[in-house]
Amino acid sequence: MRRATAGRGSGRRWAILVTVLSAVSGIAGCGTASSAGGASTTPPPVTSSLEPTTLSPTSASQSAPPPRSSSNCPTVVAGFDCDFQQRFATVQAYVATRPGVVGVVVHDRQTGAVWRTGATDTAMWTESTIKLAMTVDLFLRDRAGKISLTSADRSLIQRMLHSSDDNAADSLWFKYAGPDHMAFNQDFGSYGMTSLVPQRGYSNTFPYWGFQKCTPNDLDRLVNYVLDHLPSDTRQYIVGQLSAVDPNQQWGVWAAGPAANPGNKDGWGPEDNGWVMNTVGWVGPGQRYTLAVMNELRGHGGEDDGRTTDSHIAQLLFTGRSL
């Protein structure tokens, strides 16, 4: 339940909680106020069209899953071919061996088919995945004339997406959350985050972006809202940003590999119940497949364990598959 400085991704919460938590070195779940990867660059207006950029994944293992036998197809999962079904069975077995609580959701946007395993209805800390929902809300409110985003605001949005900058998220939250701090949360359910619940008792401000919980199903609905319901220029901007993230977010869905054209928003940090490592994004031409993984370690592992879990799930699902 802490938030701190560079490189992890949910910054300010540790500063708020330092008086009530034991002194642990301040690292947090997803972001940095640094200018890494062009963080200070003002993004183009939402009318711009950015093409996804493919970078090499940094993940625990680059090996593809073993060859699949067409004669050994598991129980049919509607809308998915036998290769995917075998991959699902492999992922399910892998998740059962991993520390903590894991929920996985795969969505085929072309057929509408969905596959889930693990704790997909369990509320877990969002970490900085909620910054994607904040971005959606800011752009839609600006489009509707409810707020007027400045060039400085747009630069903060770019930093929040690219390197998961916590200070940028703080600035935007306190500027646009309204006098009761509810403006964002009143809208989040409209983007599919129907189970999202802000958590009391962790910060002086309530609600606050850094202390909220949702389910893997919420993240699945959010990313599909981005891809299916946003105006095209806004969607293209977000896809462009998350397809070229800073190295601090090149894990999780990113580990599907460059051939999969991945894009993702990650969230990570140490909480009151241990490390939390989350990833949500897409792979394939036209962002055909989406993947959401949430992993609360709950004291049974650390940051590296969670990053390995999220990344290897993406590899097992997509590496070596013709998309």
Side-chain angles (χ1 to χ4, degrees), residues 32-194:
T32 171
S34 74
S35 59
S40 62
T41 303
T42 301
V46 294
T47 55
S48 68
S49 175
L50 297 182
E51 293 299 322
T53 302
T54 300
L55 303 180
S56 297
T58 55
S59 53
S61 169
Q62 300 299 325
S63 60
R68 310 288 170 170
S69 169
S70 60
S71 63
N72 185 28
C73 195
T75 303
V76 173
V77 181
F80 292 103
D81 60 25
C82 188
D83 175 67
F84 254 139
Q85 292 174 46
Q86 292 171 325
R87 289 169 182 265
F88 294 158
T90 302
V91 168
Q92 195 165 24
Y94 173 70
V95 166
T97 71
R98 300 303 295 162
V101 176
V102 184
V104 183
V105 184
V106 177
H107 197 129
D108 183 342
R109 295 176 56 238
Q110 181 171 303
T111 67
V114 180
W115 176 77
R116 299 174 175 88
T117 194
T120 57
D121 282 322
T122 298
M124 309 184 205
W125 291 108
T126 64
E127 301 304 327
S128 288
T129 58
I130 201 171
K131 292 171 184 171
L132 178 57
M134 288 176 62
T135 297
V136 170
D137 192 54
L138 288 166
F139 281 149
L140 290 184
R141 280 200 272 163
D142 178 74
R143 184 178 289 269
K146 297 178 180 178
I147 61 173
S148 182
L149 293 174
T150 66
S151 59
D153 294 333
R154 294 176 188 276
S155 179
L156 292 172
I157 291 171
Q158 192 271 342
R159 288 161 52 187
M160 192 167 63
L161 293 176
H162 178 71
S163 60
S164 203
D165 190 313
D166 291 336
N167 289 338
D170 278 356
S171 296
L172 292 165
W173 187 269
F174 293 121
K175 182 175 182 179
Y176 291 113
D180 61 356
H181 309 291
M182 286 297 298
F184 286 104
N185 275 87
Q186 287 171 346
D187 294 340
F188 284 157
S190 301
Y191 316 138
M193 302 191 79
T194 55

Side-chain angles (χ1 to χ4, degrees), residues 231-302:
S232 61
D233 54 353
T234 304
R235 178 187 61 78
Q236 288 171 357
Y237 174 73
I238 292 174
V239 167
Q241 288 297 319
L242 297 187
S243 297
V245 291
D246 187 80
N248 72 346
Q249 295 194 92
Q250 292 179 14
W251 51 273
V253 178
W254 198 267
N261 297 313
N264 60 232
K265 180 73 196 76
D266 292 338
W268 64 107
E271 299 296 345
D272 54 355
N273 58 350
W275 272 90
V276 179
M277 305 296 292
N278 302 330
T279 186
V280 60
W282 52 76
V283 302
Q287 301 81 49
R288 175 172 175 174
Y289 301 103
T290 62
L291 171 61
V293 184
M294 299 185 77
N295 182 196
E296 283 196 341
L297 278 300
R298 301 190 177 182
H300 298 291

